[in-house]
Amino acid sequence: MVFENMDRIIFAGDSVTDMGSAQPVGEGLFDNMGHGYPRVIESLVTATYPERSIRFTNSGISGNTSKDLLARYERDVLSLNPQWVSICIGINDVWRQFDSPALTDQAVDPVEYEENLRTMIEQAKMVAKGVIVCTPYYMETNKSDFMRARMQEYVGICERLAEEYGCRFVNFQAVYDKFLQYKHSSLIAWDRVHPNQIGATLMAKEWLSKCGFEYDHTPEA
């Protein structure tokens, strides 16, 4: 696994990352990490690698677009001196284009999204040893659906920037596309966006698979 003893991992994002975490930054005991994929990741890593002490921090805030996240990025991410930064943002950038089409200032188009994400990656690489770029997603099997098609543009931006900057890339959209070949989205999320524990586990497994996680790891003596 790429995470070393005393590393700090910060999860930056929106409600999918937040999922009831303490605000503006959640970590430590009780439910401060929320109940989304960051909490599942923390649980699996801590249970499987007990010899390593790794600090997990949830900096997700519900409703954030990439513009909102960038505005608080220094306070909630960079100033916390992370060794790893995981960025998952973009769902609201797209969603606001469809649920609030008249409020154009609340959405973020692909051009601005790319600029915001690029800035976050560049700034994170200046303070952290690794950046993990995770895609936004929409749980819709019909890829011609307007919102699903639009979301794919943002997924493509994430993939391209991750490759350009040498980041680890986690394609949450592809994870859900595969799962929905077998199960309906209602099993995971009533609104096709906010996952229950099944969805959080799917996301955590994919995220960990890109970080060298070994389920059969034997703790070091």
Side-chain angles (χ1 to χ4, degrees):
M1 185 176 67
V2 298
F3 309 123
E4 299 174 323
N5 191 49
M6 302 309 293
D7 274 357
R8 186 179 195 176
I9 305 166
I10 295 184
F11 296 90
D14 50 37
S15 59
V16 169
T17 299
D18 179 356
M19 296 301 282
S21 68
Q23 296 298 316
V25 173
E27 59 183 14
L29 299 176
F30 310 111
D31 292 323
N32 288 342
M33 278 291 290
H35 52 87
Y37 72 93
R39 180 62 181 272
V40 180
I41 291 168
E42 177 188 44
S43 298
L44 285 170
V45 170
T46 304
T48 309
Y49 293 80
E51 77 279 15
R52 303 185 198 183
S53 294
I54 298 174
R55 186 173 182 176
F56 296 88
T57 303
N58 191 329
S59 289
I61 292 184
S62 181
N64 269 192
T65 62
S66 61
K67 180 165 51 178
D68 299 321
L69 176 56
L70 185 59
R72 62 182 181 85
Y73 202 62
E74 172 62 35
R75 182 195 70 181
D76 296 346
V77 179
L78 303 178
S79 69
L80 304 182
N81 300 314
Q83 280 67 56
W84 292 86
V85 176
S86 177
I87 305 169
C88 181
I89 197 71
I91 289 175
N92 293 309
D93 299 52
V94 176
W95 210 346
R96 296 295 86 85
Q97 297 172 41
F98 294 89
D99 67 1
S100 306
L103 305 179
T104 55
D105 59 318
Q106 294 190 12
V108 178
D109 66 28
V111 173
E112 183 181 0
Y113 176 73
E114 180 169 346
E115 293 174 353
N116 293 341
L117 185 58
R118 183 182 295 276
T119 299
M120 284 187 271
I121 292 171
E122 289 179 347
Q123 291 182 354
K125 287 181 73 69
M126 293 177 66
V127 300
K129 61 184 177 183
V131 179
I132 303 165
V133 176
C134 308
T135 72
Y137 60 83
Y138 186 52
M139 300 179 203
E140 172 58 63
T141 57
N142 178 11
K143 294 185 179 181
S144 64
D145 172 89
F146 291 150
M147 184 168 163
R148 175 65 181 84
R150 187 66 158 170
M151 192 67 74
Q152 193 62 40
E153 296 181 49
Y154 292 66
V155 170
I157 291 169
C158 289
E159 184 172 20
R160 177 159 44 79
L161 290 182
E163 182 177 0
E164 178 180 341
Y165 286 98
C167 304
R168 293 176 185 269
F169 176 63
V170 183
N171 193 336
F172 286 146
Q173 182 66 69
V175 169
Y176 282 121
D177 286 348
K178 182 178 180 180
F179 187 81
L180 296 180
Q181 294 178 25
Y182 304 95
K183 304 293 185 183
H184 191 271
S185 61
S186 60
L187 179 67
I188 299 176
W190 65 270
D191 59 1
R192 290 180 283 185
V193 168
H194 297 96
N196 58 18
Q197 287 298 288
I198 298 171
T201 303
L202 283 171
M203 295 169 73
K205 285 179 61 182
E206 184 66 15
W207 192 95
L208 288 169
S209 75
K210 305 302 182 181
C211 300
F213 182 85
E214 298 177 337
Y215 288 91
D216 60 352
H217 167 74
T218 300
E220 301 168 2

